[in-house]
Structure formats: C-alpha cells, structure tokens
Amino acid sequence: MTGTHTITVELGLRSYPIVIGAGLLGGGFDLRPYVAGSDCLIVSNQTVAPLYLEKLTTNLVGKNIAVIELPDGEAYKTTDTLHSVLDKLVDIGASRDSTVIALGGGVVGDIAGFAAASYMRGIGFVQVPTTLLAQVDSSVGGKTGVNHARGKNLIGAFYQPGIVLIDTGTLATLPDRELKAGLAEVIKYGAIADLEFFSWLESNIKALLGRDATALAHAIRRSCELKAEIVAADEREGGRRAILNFGHTFGHAIEHCLGYGEWLHGEAVAAGMVMAAALSDIAPDESARLRALLVAAGLPTAPPGIGARKMLDAMARDKKVQRKQIRFVLLKALGTALVTADYNDRKLQQVLEAAN
Ligand code: NAD
Ligand code: GLY
C-alpha cells in the first residue's frame, strides 16, 4: 500500500472521512470501526464482485458478512432492484446497527445508499467506489436513489455514508471508456472551481489516460477536496452545490434524446460542458482550452446531430427548471461558475444549432 490521504466532509455530527490510497482493499485498511454492529450486507454487482469482493471481506474480519450481487447496468437501477436489497436485509434479520456496504460504481452506490437510508428509517452505510466517476463524484455527498420509468434518479434521499473508502488500485480493471467518462467529471471540477487544477489536468492528461498511479491519485484527491467543500457548504443543493451540474443540462438532454445507455453519462456531460461554455460570457480562448482538454481526454465535444428543437424540448424537463425557466450552470471565467436563468435566448439557439 502506498501513501493514504484522508479528506473530511464537514457536516457537523454527520461528518465523515474520504480515505484515498492504493491497496486499501485486501486488508490495507480496517473498516470494522465503521460497521457499528456485527452484521453487514455488501451490495455489489456481477462484474465487480468477482474482482473485489474477497479483498473487501479481509477488511472486515470477524463481522457477519452477507452479500447481494445485483445485475450490472443502469437499466437495473430500479425500485425492483432496490426491493431485492431490502428483502435481503429482512432475510438476514438486519437491525438498526447493521451496515450496508456498497462495492461498485455509481449505480451500485446509489441503490445501496437508498436501501440504507430507507431500511428501518436509516442504518449504517459505507461507500467503496470502484469506478473513477464514483470515486470523484457519486460516492461523496449523499445523493442516493433509483430511477423511475419516467425519469432518472426521481426516487431517492440525501443520506451520507459513514466513510468513503477509495482504493485507487481498483481502477486497473476499469474499461478505458469508463475511465474517460470519469475524467469528464474530473475536468468539470477544474472548470467550475479551480483554474490551477484545470492547468494541472492540461499538463497531465496523457499520464491520466495511461493510468499513472500518482497522477490518478492526485486527480481523485483534488476532485474529492472540491466536492467535499461544496457539499459542506450546501448539502441539499439549495444554492452553490448546483454548480456541480455544469454541462449536465445539455448532457441530460443528449442522454434523453439518444436513449439512456447509448452514450455514457460522462461523455454526454463532456459535450454538454462545451455547449455550456459557448453559452457563457467568457473569452473565446477559455472555451477553446476546455474543448481542447476534453479532446485530449478522448471525449466527445458535440452531440451526434440530435437537432436543436429536440434538445431544447428535453432541456425544458430538466430538474433545475424553475417557473418554466431553464437554469444553466455557466462559467464566469474558466475556474469559476454560477447558476443562472439570465442568459441570452438567441445565443442559446445559436449554441444548439451550431452543435447539432
Ligand atoms: P456504473 O456503476 O454503471 O459502472 C460502470 C461499469 O463499470 C459497470 O459495468 C460496472 O460493473 C463496471 N465496474 C465498476 N467498477 C469496476 C472496476 N473496478 N473494474 C471493472 N469494471 C468495473 O457507472 P458509474 O459511471 O460508476 O455511475 C453512474 C451512475 O452514477 C448513474 O446511475 C448516475 O446517476 C449515478 N451518479 C450519482 C451521483 C450521486 O451524486 N449520487 C453522481 C453522479 C452519477
Ligand atoms: N453529482 C452532483 C451532486 O452530487 O450534487
């Protein structure tokens, strides 16, 4: 195991650590203090469990461990799958001091977190994220839930974990396409909140794509620091937290129009960030830098010809719409973002037409 780094998400009595290091699974970190009672349920899926379940159990020696392996994929992020987890908790006789441990990407983490939030009105919850996207975004901040047939993440709760344990070694088995999709969210943090980090990413993108361990560890650490700071300031997205949705209004419209699963979320967000930057009142060379970094990361920078009208209709259904007005996260400058409904309609039309 190499150097471990801990970041705290400061939320008063519900504060928790994000522990980042290589080799933390397989006994490199004692998870038992984060499992209050003797019983825990590890929720994983059919892809991740064969790779990392056995290792995780060595971090929990002496605990009663039950396991549920979910089918893999966003298509299974449903109330049916949630019920299968709740059924398992009932079957094993889980009680108030039992703990749910999510081992997997954002899909597993979101389902397991909501099961932990709802079983007996809330039991222990631990996140062990294994995709880059989950390590830099979904495992931190307490958004949990499942999809409804008529909308993504429509059913859920804010429920913070007791710890996020990030073994960066798990990224070794992540498919390239998933790694790149996670990098889109990493680039997002630089664009919205940290110009210096953005410049670092420009210099280190090749190392990140080559899975250089030091570069990945730094990218994960800085992303988690930025997310922790934003969540601590605005846990329930009353204001500042919404900047984390940079590129997502356009991105969700792309996902919706293409059919979920066609493009990965990070790919749609990458194209969405280029469009959001074009709508922003920033210098052309700043938009060009964002675009160039996404290209260097092997990510798309425009939707695949969906059509302006279709995208606008899809955006009107965004969760950030208030009083029928679409709200966008725009850049004030590269490295600083704001949420606003004050944008130029003609410019929006031009951005949509130019990209489509
Ligand atoms: P995912 O969970 O579907 O994982 C992607 C794929 O990688 C899956 O096939 C998975 O089995 C596989 N995988 C996971 N870890 C692996 C590993 N180490 N080696 C090999 N394969 C591995 O997708 P994701 O991108 O991690 O998460 C997307 C989900 O996260 C979406 O449902 C999205 O809504 C949600 N999300 C939630 C938040 C939040 O704040 N809660 C934020 C962003 C996204
Ligand atoms: N992924 C956006 C958020 O956590 O708020």
Side-chain angles (χ1 to χ4, degrees), residues 69-104:
E69 281 183 31
L70 308 178
D72 189 359
E74 180 77 26
Y76 297 98
K77 194 174 154 184
T78 59
T79 48
D80 282 351
T81 310
L82 170 72
H83 277 127
S84 70
V85 179
L86 295 173
D87 287 347
K88 184 77 183 182
L89 285 165
V90 175
D91 288 346
I92 64 170
S95 56
R96 277 256 160 80
D97 63 357
S98 300
T99 299
V100 171
I101 305 178
L103 174 69

Side-chain angles (χ1 to χ4, degrees), residues 268-351:
V269 166
M273 287 194 286
V274 173
M275 297 176 80
L279 185 60
S280 303
D281 198 10
I282 58 172
D285 65 311
E286 295 197 312
S287 303
R289 274 179 76 182
L290 176 58
R291 194 174 188 289
L293 181 54
L294 293 166
V295 170
L299 287 158
T301 53
I306 290 169
R309 180 77 257 162
K310 216 173 146 194
M311 272 196 70
L312 198 57
D313 286 348
M315 287 193 300
R317 283 190 225 111
D318 189 83
K319 280 205 209 91
K320 288 189 296 306
V321 170
Q322 280 182 355
R323 289 177 227 98
K324 302 222 169 127
Q325 182 76 41
I326 304 173
R327 290 157 73 237
F328 285 98
V329 182
L330 300 182
L331 297 180
K332 277 196 243 178
L334 198 55
T336 325
L338 79 163
V339 184
T340 181
D342 185 18
Y343 53 86
N344 183 321
D345 279 325
R346 258 197 48 216
K347 196 170 174 188
L348 173 61
Q349 193 65 33
Q350 282 165 1
V351 168

Side-chain angles (χ1 to χ4, degrees), residues 45-48 51-52 72-74 77 104-110 127 129-134 137-145 147 152-153 170-175 178 181 185 227 241 248 264-265:
N45 74 18
Q46 290 159 346
T47 306
V48 180
L51 295 168
Y52 301 111
D72 189 359
E74 180 77 26
K77 194 174 154 184
V107 170
V108 164
D110 280 12
Q127 285 270 23
T130 61
T131 62
L132 182 59
L133 181 134
D137 189 0
S138 64
S139 66
V140 176
K143 283 189 181 176
T144 72
N147 300 330
K152 208 167 131 60
N153 297 328
T170 59
L171 298 180
T173 53
L174 193 68
E178 297 288 350
E185 300 286 356
K227 181 142 189 191
R241 183 165 178 170
H248 285 57
L264 296 179
H265 176 68

Side-chain angles (χ1 to χ4, degrees), residues 14 26 30 61 77 116 122 127 148 168-169 171 176-177 219 245 269:
R14 289 174 297 107
D30 189 359
V61 172
K77 194 174 154 184
Q127 285 270 23
H148 184 275
T168 53
L171 298 180
D176 276 338
R177 192 175 168 199
N245 294 319
V269 166

